[in-house]
Amino acid sequence: ILPSTEGYEAQIPTFDTTKMAIDWVPVRVKGREMVEAGAGKTAETWVVETPTKLYGRMTWWVRKTPPYVIKAVLEIPDKEDGSGKIAATITYTMV
């Protein structure tokens, strides 16, 4: 898990299976937020954003104890180069 500090920024290596190459993804800790975490439960999380030009922007709600990821939202741009408006938004809940 990344340092839990609002404003923290870094780049992390990921593997792009389409290009078969390492891609460096920017990561930003946006702050803290309470989110739903199952039936009648909430969890205090860090909000982490990973905006990329090619893959859209993902926002993650994470914490330091399992389950680590509580929620993730993926915004997919309508053009493959990442430009244009958002074509789709996919929300994943992990609990």
Side-chain angles (χ1 to χ4, degrees), residues 7-59:
Y8 175 81
E9 292 188 21
Q11 289 196 18
I12 57 173
T14 60
F15 187 71
D16 183 327
T17 56
T18 303
K19 296 179 187 178
M20 299 305 285
I22 299 295
D23 186 25
W24 289 88
V25 174
V27 175
R28 296 182 193 122
V29 178
K30 305 294 281 184
R32 297 191 67 101
E33 190 173 307
M34 293 294 287
V35 294
E36 291 183 29
K41 297 179 184 176
T42 59
E44 187 172 7
T45 63
W46 286 98
V47 182
V48 179
E49 186 178 74
T50 56
T52 66
K53 291 180 183 173
L54 297 178
Y55 315 112
R57 176 177 49 213
M58 284 197 84
T59 305

Side-chain angles (χ1 to χ4, degrees), residues 35-84:
V35 294
E36 291 183 29
K41 297 179 184 176
T42 59
E44 187 172 7
T45 63
W46 286 98
V47 182
V48 179
E49 186 178 74
T50 56
T52 66
K53 291 180 183 173
L54 297 178
Y55 315 112
R57 176 177 49 213
M58 284 197 84
T59 305
W60 305 82
W61 286 259
V62 298
R63 62 185 185 177
K64 289 192 173 212
T65 57
Y68 300 106
V69 177
I70 304 300
K71 176 181 165 182
V73 174
L74 172 60
E75 296 174 347
I76 303 168
D78 65 353
K79 297 183 182 177
E80 285 189 23
D81 67 356
S83 66

